[in-house]
Amino acid sequence: MATIIDGKTLAKKIRENLKIECDELKEKGIKPKLAVIMVGDDPASKVYVRNKSRACDEIGIEYQEYLLNENITQDELLELIKKLNNDETVNGILLQSPIPENLDINEAFKTITYLKDVDGFTPSSVGKLCIGEDTFVSCTPLGVIKMFEEYNIDLNGKDVVILGRSNIVGRPLIQCCLQKNATVTICHSKTNNLKEHTKRADVIISAIGKPKFVTEDMVKDNVVIVDVGINRDENGKLVGDVDFENVEKKASYITPVPGGVGPMTIAMLMHNVIKATKEQYKEKSIL
Ligand code: GUN
C-alpha cells in the first residue's frame, strides 16, 4: 500500500506560515497585493480564481480582480497589464489562462514585469529557471517539488518521467527535476511506445488531462506517482490522470485527486506573492 501524499495538509501548513510572514510585512507598513485578470467567463477559470481569492483572504493578501469582457482588444489588455506594472500598490499580476483565442496570451505574459510575475510565465522567469538562478517558478511545478521535499523523496539519480509538455506544468517541471539531479524524460502526444518509458520510471508526474490514463500495467513496483490532472469522469466526479485505485497498490507514494497537487498550486501562488512583495521592497532598499 502506498503512502498518500497529503497535499491538502501540507498546503494548509504553508499558508499558515505565509500568514505569519504577511503579518510581519504589515507591521512594517507593507501590504502585499495580488491583481488577477480574467478575460471572458471560462467556468473552470471562475472556480480557480475564486479559490485564489479565498487563499488571499485567509493569509491577509489584498486581492483585486479585473474581469474583462471577451471582446476586449489586445491593446486594451496590454494597457491594463502596463498600468498594473506601474502601480506601486500591486505586488503580483496574474493573467488567468485561457483567454479568447483571438488574443495573444504569450505577448500578454511577456508584458508582465519580472518582479510581479507570480505565475513564473515571463521569458525572464523561464530563462532564469533554465540556468538555475533563483526566480519565480510556475506554481504547480513548485508545489510538486515541495511535496517531494516534505516526504523526503530524493530525486538524485532517479528516472523521472513527465507526461505532458505544457508551458505551465511539463516544461518547467523538467528544469525543477533536473535541479534535483534527476534523469528527466518528457513524454507527450507524439511519443512512441509511451509504456516503455513509464514502465522504467522511478517517478511519474502526469499532467495530460485524461482520466484513468496511467494504469497499473504502465508502472513498476514502488513507483512514486504525482497526479497533476484535474478532470471530470463520466459521473461528473473530480478525478486525476491516474487510475488511483489500481496504481496505488503498486506505488510507494501517490498523490490523490482532489487533495493532492491542487491545493499546493494555490499555496505556491501565495508564496510567490509574498516573495514578489519582499523583492520589490528590497529593490527599493526598504527591506
Ligand atoms: N490556468 C490554469 N492554471 C493556471 C495557472 O496556474 N495560472 C494561470 N495564470 N492560469 C491558469
Side-chain angles (χ1 to χ4, degrees):
M1 273 295 200
T3 299
I4 310 290
I5 300 180
D6 182 354
K8 194 172 168 194
T9 302
L10 175 57
K12 184 165 181 279
K13 187 168 94 180
I14 292 169
R15 292 198 308 272
E16 282 164 3
N17 287 334
L18 288 170
K19 181 165 175 27
I20 297 169
E21 281 188 60
C22 191
D23 288 344
E24 284 167 1
L25 286 170
K26 285 182 179 165
E27 276 166 24
K28 296 184 176 121
I30 298 168
K31 287 191 275 182
K33 181 167 165 183
L34 172 66
V36 170
I37 307 170
M38 206 168 96
V39 188
D41 57 0
D42 178 68
S45 291
K46 278 187 185 164
V47 176
Y48 292 142
V49 164
R50 191 168 61 231
N51 290 338
K52 288 168 187 175
S53 130
R54 282 195 190 135
C56 283
D57 279 352
E58 184 192 326
I59 292 166
I61 293 171
E62 280 189 39
Y63 176 87
Q64 190 154 6
E65 205 167 271
Y66 295 83
L67 298 177
L68 306 181
N69 185 289
E70 61 183 1
N71 298 321
I72 192 169
T73 65
Q74 181 79 10
D75 282 348
E76 284 168 323
L77 176 60
L78 298 189
E79 276 315 305
L80 172 61
I81 294 172
K82 286 177 197 161
K83 190 182 100 180
L84 296 172
N85 282 344
N86 294 325
D87 183 340
E88 296 225 336
T89 71
V90 170
N91 306 105
I93 303 171
L94 184 145
L95 171 62
Q96 184 67 32
S97 85
I99 63 176
E101 278 180 8
N102 62 309
L103 300 172
D104 181 344
I105 196 157
N106 284 334
E107 194 192 6
F109 284 142
K110 272 186 218 161
T111 306
I112 297 172
T113 191
Y114 166 71
L115 277 178
K116 298 187 181 183
D117 179 22
V118 289
D119 250 335
F121 291 168
T122 65
S124 302
S125 301
V126 175
K128 282 170 155 231
L129 179 65
C130 285
I131 56 170
E133 281 189 11
D134 177 64
T135 186
F136 297 103
V137 179
S138 180
C139 304
T140 299
L142 188 58
V144 171
I145 294 298
K146 294 273 180 207
M147 286 172 138
F148 290 145
E149 288 173 353
E150 175 75 10
Y151 282 79
N152 295 317
I153 298 169
D154 186 5
L155 298 189
N156 199 27
K158 297 280 167 59
D159 270 321
V160 174
V161 171
I162 299 166
L163 307 181
R165 55 178 157 176
S166 70
N167 288 345
I168 294 183
V169 183
R171 286 172 205 250
L173 259 173
I174 302 172
Q175 299 302 330
C176 293
C177 295
L178 204 52
Q179 276 179 20
K180 296 283 187 186
N181 299 321
T183 303
V184 186
T185 305
I186 184 141
C187 298
H188 45 79
S189 54
K190 301 286 188 288
T191 297
N192 289 329
N193 306 323
L194 180 79
K195 195 168 157 183
E196 274 176 24
H197 295 287
T198 57
K199 211 45 198 173
R200 61 167 174 72
D202 299 308
V203 178
I204 298 174
I205 308 172
S206 183
I208 46 171
K210 289 193 182 147
K212 296 204 175 167
F213 184 84
V214 179
T215 48
E216 194 187 353
D217 57 307
M218 290 169 69
V219 307
K220 73 175 182 186
D221 282 335
N222 293 322
V223 66
V224 173
I225 300 277
V226 176
D227 191 346
V228 179
I230 302 178
N231 315 296
R232 297 270 168 197
D233 72 3
E234 59 282 1
N235 304 316
K237 190 176 150 225
L238 195 66
V239 294
D241 291 346
V242 177
D243 180 4
F244 184 91
E245 216 175 289
N246 295 311
V247 172
E248 190 217 350
K249 293 177 194 146
K250 282 179 105 175
S252 54
Y253 292 88
I254 189 165
T255 66
V257 177
V261 176
M264 291 300 293
T265 297
I266 298 195
M268 290 304 107
L269 174 65
M270 301 297 111
H271 164 91
N272 280 347
V273 175
I274 298 292
K275 176 181 167 75
T277 307
K278 286 185 172 170
E279 293 198 5
Q280 285 156 39
Y281 280 88
K282 267 188 212 143
E283 188 102 322
K284 295 180 203 160
S285 304
I286 294 175
L287 274 179

